[in-house]
Amino acid sequence: MYDRSSSKKGISYYDTSALKGTLERLVDFERINEAQDIRLSVGAVNVRTGQFSYFDSVKMPILVEHIMASGALPPGFLPIEIDGEYYWDGGLYSNTPLEYVLDYSPRRSRLTFQVDVFQPAGWLPTNLDETSKREKDIRFASRTQSCTDAARDKHHVRHAINELHKLLPREIANTEEAARLYELGCVTEMDIVQLLYRPSEPEGYAKDYEFSRPSMERRWRQGLSDAQGALRASPWLAPMPKELGVRVFNMDEDFPAENVADRPNFSHKADAAVAERTAKTPSTLAEA
């Protein structure tokens, strides 16, 4: 529905006020905020400051506005007001904020499933429609690999600090400087499982806002298949090599789901190039 009556008309194509009632009717916010075994964190970017913010059920009650803000992608949707500030979809800043999960204190060993609904590898466009689609894939998926690489490298450094501290002579290990260094070390182990969306059929430039029932059911089926394939393989159950602190499993490349053969050839050609590059870095992909 086009927003013709809002005082903010002209800054978005649609009015999402009806979404608030839908979420309040379908989402059990009391369970999210009171249950001890559930934690929900959503991100949004402050329109005024450009800074990324996390709304975390451990730190605050999650409200419907937090959910709406995390999906308020401009220019389609209006920014959402929270405590006097306005927020857009956090994907404008970081579509896969992996660092928030891995760096959360106190640090502990974690198994993290990273789902990316935009494909980083693709093909050379041949028309304007394909150009628009490819631009969106790159824009929204570009930070995924860089964030994963940064998290892996940082955790390896933490492990190296811990091992180095063990080798220090006692007179050095007991100094204030060594104590500060030791605080930066870590002995936790991190397994990151990457589930990358690969379209089963060509999608147009409207893929980031095309939420028709057939499109959503197709994505749900593929997501379920990919998740089941990952759980069947469960490569993270193998012991962690002593020299590593982080393993990254790209399930589409290393442990393909049963329906991979039905996907477009261009994805496989692009994936093969990526796999060839990453295979040269032992710590990037775990051995099968």
Side-chain angles (χ1 to χ4, degrees):
M1 178 174 65
Y2 181 71
D3 180 18
R4 296 182 181 274
S5 59
S6 170
S7 61
K8 302 184 185 64
K9 66 180 181 180
I11 66 171
S12 72
Y13 297 130
Y14 300 98
D15 176 13
T16 58
S17 57
L19 178 60
K20 184 175 187 294
T22 301
L23 290 173
E24 290 174 335
R25 186 175 73 254
L26 298 178
V27 178
D28 189 345
F29 286 95
E30 182 177 351
R31 182 185 180 192
I32 291 174
N33 292 315
E34 296 183 3
Q36 299 298 315
D37 58 342
I38 296 177
R39 177 181 178 182
L40 176 64
S41 305
V42 295
V45 62
N46 188 304
V47 178
R48 182 180 60 85
T49 67
Q51 297 299 307
F52 198 90
S53 296
Y54 292 99
F55 305 116
D56 192 326
S57 61
V58 170
K59 301 177 180 179
M60 66 183 72
I62 296 296
L63 306 176
V64 66
E65 288 79 11
H66 297 135
I67 305 301
M68 293 179 66
S70 71
L73 185 65
F77 298 158
L78 284 168
I80 302 300
E81 183 179 4
I82 300 174
D83 296 331
E85 295 283 356
Y86 287 87
Y87 294 88
W88 272 327
D89 188 327
L92 296 175
Y93 188 94
S94 177
N95 207 40
T96 312
L98 180 67
E99 65 275 6
Y100 186 73
V101 176
L102 299 184
D103 290 344
Y104 189 82
S105 296
R107 288 194 297 269
R108 60 184 179 182
S109 296
R110 291 185 173 94
L111 169 61
T112 302
F113 291 86
Q114 180 181 12
V115 180
D116 199 331
V117 297
F118 291 89
Q119 55 183 126
W123 64 101
L124 184 65
T126 60
N127 55 51
L128 286 177
D129 183 75
E130 291 181 358
T131 297
S132 178
K133 176 184 179 300
R134 188 72 195 114
E135 178 268 333
K136 290 179 179 180
D137 280 337
I138 294 174
R139 174 153 50 98
F140 288 113
S142 60
R143 283 178 53 85
T144 299
Q145 191 58 50
S146 62
C147 288
T148 303
D149 291 345
R152 182 198 63 231
D153 294 343
K154 181 164 61 175
H155 206 69
H156 286 337
V157 170
R158 287 173 175 164
H159 268 246
I161 290 174
N162 189 73
E163 294 301 314
L164 176 62
H165 192 272
K166 296 177 182 178
L167 303 177
L168 295 177
R170 179 172 299 181
E171 62 273 16
I172 297 179
N174 292 333
T175 63
E176 181 180 344
E177 291 80 3
R180 290 202 303 268
L181 180 66
Y182 182 74
E183 288 298 317
L184 297 175
C186 188
V187 296
T188 60
E189 298 175 349
M190 303 291 183
D191 283 319
I192 303 171
V193 182
Q194 293 181 328
L195 298 174
L196 302 180
Y197 173 62
R198 307 294 186 190
S200 57
E201 59 185 61
E203 296 177 316
Y205 67 90
K207 60 180 294 182
D208 56 334
Y209 58 86
E210 205 282 276
F211 300 130
S212 66
R213 172 63 66 173
S215 294
M216 297 310 299
E217 288 183 343
R218 183 176 64 251
R219 287 183 174 235
W220 290 336
R221 286 193 300 269
Q222 186 169 322
L224 176 61
S225 175
D226 289 346
Q228 290 174 335
L231 293 176
R232 281 195 299 269
S234 296
W236 53 85
L237 295 179
M240 176 79 75
K242 292 182 178 180
E243 68 275 10
L244 298 181
V246 177
R247 293 182 296 187
V248 180
F249 303 98
N250 187 321
M251 301 307 297
D252 191 71
E253 295 175 356
D254 297 346
F255 305 91
E258 293 177 353
N259 64 341
V260 166
D262 297 329
R263 299 179 185 175
N265 291 330
F266 64 76
S267 293
H268 290 292
K269 293 178 180 178
D271 291 346
V274 174
E276 183 178 357
R277 291 196 301 271
T278 55
K280 297 177 182 179
T281 308
S283 60
T284 300
L285 298 175
E287 297 180 358

